[in-house]
Amino acid sequence: MALNNTYDARLQQETAVGAGVQILLLALLGSAIGMGPAGWLTGLAFAFATWAVLSRALHRSRLSSFGPANRVTLGRTTLVGGVTALVADSFESAPPVTLLAALTAVALLLDGVDGKVARRTGTSSALGARFDMEVDAFLIMVLSVYVSMDLGPWVLLIGGMRYAFVAAARLAPWLNAPLPPSFARKTVAALQGICLLVAAAGPLPRPANLAVVLLALGSLVWSFGRDVAWLWRGSRTATAAEAVLEPAVLELAAG
């Protein structure tokens, strides 16, 4: 029991350090660009929520070590918190687009690093995979909010689609079935961040940005549609198998 408590304390220290680094980044951003109350409050809320949710998840997972891969993901989370603060601040004043794009680009580049680190160090875990996925999803949502201010609210479909899928799975449990690995799915997921970054950075004229984001949305709809169709077929197959086996089981029980 004492050993478990020691591990738990170490894990909580890791999350506390992450929250501290997040606040330090906010202070640097605040001093560099004069960030307003909206940016500060949003950034602090993000830091606290990340600390609270991750601390609870680590406690429930009973991991013995935070691991190098999760540290990389936590570093990405800090960058995403900075992007979130800048986007919130953009509702009050024009954001420093170069800084926002730089933080986003580094966060996207590090997306493939944590998985490679986990595999090389043998520290892959369900918590690490979920942590990585949630950070990716939140970054896409934040970028969608920022780009939607220029191209229109329809862009929010990109950031909201994954959360809509999670909500739908509560009503239709068959959506919770595991999906097979897919290179196409990973490619489409990566494309969302790249396209939104291009549109957010603004190097292209508005019509080109519109085409880029439409490409992202179209590929995402295709990817989700393909996965939902696969899950539906799987659920129908499982239901049919149960219908065939149930009479046989009842007959054996009666005999």
Side-chain angles (χ1 to χ4, degrees):
M1 180 65 71
L3 186 60
N4 289 338
N5 289 337
T6 300
Y7 281 137
D8 191 62
R10 290 178 180 175
L11 294 175
Q12 301 308 318
Q13 288 173 2
E14 297 265 12
T15 60
V17 168
V21 173
Q22 180 72 81
I23 294 172
L24 176 60
L25 176 60
L26 292 175
L28 292 173
L29 293 175
S31 62
I33 67 171
M35 193 162 58
W40 271 105
L41 290 174
T42 303
L44 290 173
F46 179 88
F48 177 78
T50 300
W51 169 80
V53 172
L54 186 55
S55 295
R56 182 181 179 185
L58 285 168
H59 179 72
R60 295 176 65 180
S61 69
R62 301 186 180 277
L63 288 178
S64 59
S65 173
F66 194 69
N70 285 333
R71 292 189 184 99
V72 174
T73 308
L74 187 59
R76 279 202 308 121
T77 305
T78 301
L79 297 175
V80 172
V83 174
T84 303
L86 291 176
V87 170
D89 193 59
S90 70
F91 285 92
E92 296 182 338
S93 60
V97 176
T98 302
L99 181 58
L100 187 148
L103 291 176
T104 301
V106 176
L108 291 174
L109 287 172
L110 289 175
D111 185 21
V113 174
D114 42 15
K116 291 181 180 178
V117 170
R119 288 188 292 272
R120 287 186 178 182
T121 59
T123 55
S124 299
S125 66
L127 174 63
R130 180 66 181 272
F131 186 21
D132 178 59
M133 181 175 61
E134 295 298 341
V135 173
D136 291 342
F138 193 82
L139 176 59
I140 297 303
M141 171 57 81
V142 172
L143 291 175
S144 298
V145 171
Y146 181 72
V147 175
S148 71
M149 289 188 281
D150 178 44
L151 297 182
W154 62 269
V155 182
L156 296 174
L157 292 171
I158 295 176
M161 200 170 299
R162 190 257 170 182
Y163 295 104
F165 180 86
V166 172
R170 293 182 177 273
L171 301 176
W174 54 269
L175 289 171
N176 288 314
L179 288 163
S182 170
F183 178 76
R185 187 187 308 117
K186 293 180 180 179
T187 302
V188 169
L191 183 66
Q192 306 309 303
I194 295 170
C195 290
L196 290 172
L197 173 58
V198 170
L204 302 175
R206 192 173 186 276
N209 282 337
L210 180 61
V212 166
V213 178
L214 281 172
L215 171 64
L217 178 58
S219 64
L220 191 63
V221 170
W222 169 81
S223 181
F224 268 97
R226 188 185 69 154
D227 286 345
V228 169
W230 189 91
L231 291 170
W232 171 258
R233 289 194 298 269
S235 69
R236 295 301 90 191
T237 300
T239 301
E242 290 177 1
V244 171
L245 289 174
E246 186 175 358
V249 171
L250 291 175
E251 185 177 345
L252 286 174

